[in-house]
């Protein structure tokens, strides 16, 4: 007991650094960077658990040694009780054992070795992820499944592109995903994940979840999608396993009734068509489908296609106009001897990338400054103007000012020297880390005409341009895409991309609508600088044409 009681302060000291970083944060699933703290927390808990197991094993070993000794002794003594007790030492030791030693054994058995482990667990539990985190991480998997067109088996086996640490999902994991989808009335994903759970059960995986439970969810999800015949098949399979399942018995009758109804309706419809002749069929054949072009595809579809590396391809003629160059910004003194590497990424809107523009040391410093301050990223409600979280922006961000550290000031000066734009009226450097399936769906950086008060409180006008640093490589996913024009820019550590959000006339360039694709595998860190209109009057003079 003394050892256990003294262990708690040591654990408190070991955990202090983790708990300080965790205490002010929630929404763990929105930032991979902050989720890493949870791994160290779990590691500490495992160490504490092992200490508890060792203490229990030591206690059991002592009890076992006592039992073995007495087993041998009593076996000998009971063969000749009177003869055994005729020895005065044996008689004394029997009195002593029953009066004292059995009491000591009782105290040993009743001693509680859980204090250290339970205390550590209690301290840390208040900083554990919540139900919201678990649900958020589950929905992220569903989002990745849709965006990157992955089947449930691919995700369950952990067979994702470029993974270093392959991890497989159990039946319980698949079942949990299906249940979360079910609670949102998302029957499409409920079917996919309950079917995967059933597949793994059929393959012989041991689980606390039984086939009857899975089949119950699966048949209902399929029924809700209008496939009554398949729903009936799964319900009948359920009844083979549990013939007295009351809900399944009722569902069979209902499904059979609905199928009969559908059959009659189909027969009546066929009869009507036969009476009318083949007029409708002929008319349909005459209607030719128009050729599907990228511009006619819904934005959501375009966004997902671009995230997968599909979609619009530039014509060779347009591609031939994109160049790489050494850029000195009209012989700026800083770049005369060391020009920066500039690469054209897209022509309309004009997007350029700067290579080797931020060092690894600068990146680590920015991350070090930002990590303790990371908070769930927000969006401005277009109606109320209030900042709020949104399911289409899964990341955490922090703001860093130039006076906090020389590195931030140096980076601000570098952006000004390269772009030629005033930084005094720009917003602070925003650092963002994306979470599980982290993304930011299509949006504009600038304020539109229907948002006249978008940046009123700043008093610096609209966002004229965006500068975006990539501070990590991303194994799979995580591209910055522009759905309206078909552009996709892929993260590359140490580079930055730049584009104007406004034309020289001050009108918004709607082709700059962009999105951050979900991170499939890896950890995405970016930082960006939103540059505003005020202070640019002589640096970027107004144009006379609205769209020049």
């Amino acid at each position: 007991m003394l050892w256990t009681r003294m262990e708690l302060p040591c654990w408190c000291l070991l955990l202090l650094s983790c708990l300080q970083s965790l205490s002010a944060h929630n929404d763990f699933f929105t930032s991979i960077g902050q989720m890493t703290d949870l791994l160290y927390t779990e590691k500490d808990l495992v160490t504490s658990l092992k200490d508890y197991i060792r203490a229990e094993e030591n206690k059991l070993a002592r009890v076992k040694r006592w039992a073995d000794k007495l087993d041998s002794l009593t076996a000998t003594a009971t063969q000749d009780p009177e003869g055994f007790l005729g020895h005065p030492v044996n008689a004394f030791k029997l009195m002593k054992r029953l009066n004292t030693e059995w009491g000591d054994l009782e105290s040993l058995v009743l001693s509680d070795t859980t204090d250290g482990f339970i205390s550590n667990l209690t301290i840390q539990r208040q900083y554990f992820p919540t139900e919201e985190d678990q649900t958020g991480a589950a929905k992220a998997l569903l989002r990745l499944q849709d965006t990157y067109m992955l089947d449930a088996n691919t995700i369950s086996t952990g067979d994702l592109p470029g993974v270093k640490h392959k991890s497989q999902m159990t039946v319980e994991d698949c079942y949990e995903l299906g249940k979360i989808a079910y609670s949102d009335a998302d029957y499409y994903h409920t079917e996919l994940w309950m079917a995967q759970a059933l597949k793994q059960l059929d393959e012989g995986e041991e689980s606390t979840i039984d086939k009857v439970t899975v089949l119950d969810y699966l048949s209902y999800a399929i029924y809700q999608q209008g496939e009554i015949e398949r729903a009936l098949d799964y319900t009948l399979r359920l009844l083979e396993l549990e013939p007295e399942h009351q809900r399944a018995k009722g569902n069979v009758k209902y499904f059979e009734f609905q199928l009969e109804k559908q059959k009659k309706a189909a027969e009546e419809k066929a009869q009507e068509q036969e009476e009318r002749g083949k007029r409708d069929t002929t008319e349909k054949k005459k209607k030719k489908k128009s050729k599907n072009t990228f511009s006619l595809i819904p934005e959501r579809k375009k966004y997902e296609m671009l995230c997968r590396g599909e979609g619009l391809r530039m014509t060779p003629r347009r591609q031939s106009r994109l160049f790489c160059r050494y850029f000195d910004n009209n012989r700026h003194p800083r770049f005369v001897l060391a020009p920066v590497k500039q690469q054209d990424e897209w022509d309309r809107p004009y997007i350029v990338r700067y290579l080797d523009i931020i060092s690894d040391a600068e990146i680590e410093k920015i991350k070090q400054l930002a990590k303790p301050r990371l908070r769930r990223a927000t969006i401005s409600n277009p109606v109320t103007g209030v900042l709020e979280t949104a399911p289409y922006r899964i990341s955490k961000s922090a703001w860093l000012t130039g006076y906090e550290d020389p590195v931030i000031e140096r980076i601000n000066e570098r952006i000004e020297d390269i772009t030629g734009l005033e930084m005094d009226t720009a917003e602070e450097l925003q650092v963002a880390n994306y979470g599980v399936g982290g993304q930011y769906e299509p949006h504009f950086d600038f304020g539109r005409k229907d948002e006249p008060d978008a940046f009123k409180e700043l008093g610096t006008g609209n966002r004229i341009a965006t500068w975006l640093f990539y501070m990590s490589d991303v194994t799979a996913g995580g591209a910055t895409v522009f759905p309206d024009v078909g552009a996709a820019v892929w993260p590359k550590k140490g580079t930055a991309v730049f584009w104007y959000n406004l034309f020289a006339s001050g009108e918004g360039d709607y082709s700059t609508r962009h999105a951050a694709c979900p991170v499939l595998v890896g950890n995405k860190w970016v930082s960006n600088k939103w540059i505003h209109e005020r202070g640019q009057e002589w640096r970027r003079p107004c144009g006379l044409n609205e769209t020049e």
Side-chain angles (χ1 to χ4, degrees), residues 222-453:
I222 291 170
Y223 160 69
Q224 284 290 346
Q225 296 176 81
E227 297 184 60
I228 299 175
E229 196 166 342
R230 282 182 61 223
L232 176 60
D233 290 341
Y234 281 113
T235 307
L236 291 171
R237 183 177 169 186
L238 188 160
L239 284 171
E240 286 176 12
L241 298 170
E242 192 176 315
E244 296 307 313
H245 195 290
Q246 292 304 312
R247 184 167 54 249
K249 285 163 80 174
N251 286 346
V252 166
K253 290 178 183 176
Y254 177 73
F255 292 156
E256 287 174 343
F257 171 73
Q258 289 295 326
L259 284 171
E260 190 60 34
K261 234 172 112 177
Q262 284 183 0
K263 187 179 176 183
K264 285 180 181 176
E267 287 172 357
E268 287 173 8
K269 190 175 179 182
Q271 195 173 350
E272 279 180 29
Q273 284 181 342
E274 197 175 325
E275 289 171 3
R276 283 203 310 265
K278 295 182 180 178
R279 186 174 67 254
D280 291 345
T281 310
T282 310
E283 284 176 4
K284 282 180 185 175
K285 283 183 180 178
K286 286 178 182 177
K287 289 181 182 177
K288 289 185 179 179
K289 287 185 179 179
S290 59
K291 190 178 179 182
N292 204 1
T293 62
F294 188 77
S295 61
L296 298 176
I297 300 173
E299 182 181 67
R300 179 78 203 179
K301 200 96 174 163
K302 285 193 281 188
Y303 161 60
E304 292 181 348
M305 288 171 68
L306 290 168
C307 289
R308 294 192 297 268
E310 304 168 5
L312 190 65
R313 292 285 180 270
M314 257 192 193
T315 61
R317 186 175 180 182
R318 281 177 68 188
Q319 247 176 346
S320 68
R321 295 172 186 158
L322 303 181
F323 296 96
C324 299
R325 65 188 69 81
Y326 282 104
F327 178 76
D328 61 14
N329 196 13
N330 295 320
R331 298 187 63 77
H332 188 286
R334 192 182 293 274
F335 305 124
V336 170
L337 295 179
V340 295
K341 289 180 272 189
Q342 188 189 64
Q343 174 180 302
D344 295 338
E345 289 284 342
W346 205 258
D347 54 354
R348 295 186 302 273
Y350 185 49
I351 306 168
V352 292
R353 188 196 294 261
Y354 295 94
L355 285 72
D356 303 320
I357 204 64
I358 184 170
S359 69
D360 288 352
E362 288 172 327
I363 287 172
E364 288 309 309
K365 186 63 179 178
I366 291 172
K367 286 163 69 173
Q368 179 191 333
L369 292 169
K371 196 171 179 182
R373 307 186 206 176
L374 289 173
R375 297 294 182 275
R376 177 78 182 266
T378 56
I379 56 98
S380 177
N381 186 306
V383 178
T384 64
V386 176
L387 292 176
E388 58 189 23
T389 60
Y392 55 82
R393 189 178 190 186
I394 307 297
S395 64
K396 283 189 175 179
S397 59
W399 299 85
L400 303 179
T401 57
Y403 59 78
E404 291 181 65
D405 193 278
V407 169
I408 309 302
E409 182 59 33
R410 186 164 69 243
I411 284 169
N412 288 340
E413 288 174 1
R414 190 178 306 154
I415 297 172
E416 180 167 342
D417 292 340
I418 292 173
T419 62
L421 297 174
E422 176 64 62
M423 289 297 115
D424 287 347
T425 57
E427 295 175 47
E428 305 300 351
L429 188 71
Q430 181 182 220
V431 183
N433 178 227
Y434 288 81
V436 185
Q439 61 163 4
Y440 190 1
E441 290 185 8
H443 62 281
F444 296 102
D445 280 351
F446 64 92
R448 273 78 65 215
K449 288 182 178 179
D450 58 350
E451 300 173 308
D453 299 331

Side-chain angles (χ1 to χ4, degrees), residues 457-468:
E457 72 281 2
L458 297 177
T460 53
N462 212 340
R463 287 173 176 166
I464 192 172
T466 296
W467 177 283
L468 178 65

Side-chain angles (χ1 to χ4, degrees), residues 206-218:
E206 291 186 7
S207 172
T208 56
I209 308 296
D210 58 75
K211 290 184 183 181
V212 170
T213 305
V214 174
L215 284 165
D216 198 13
Y217 275 103
L218 183 56

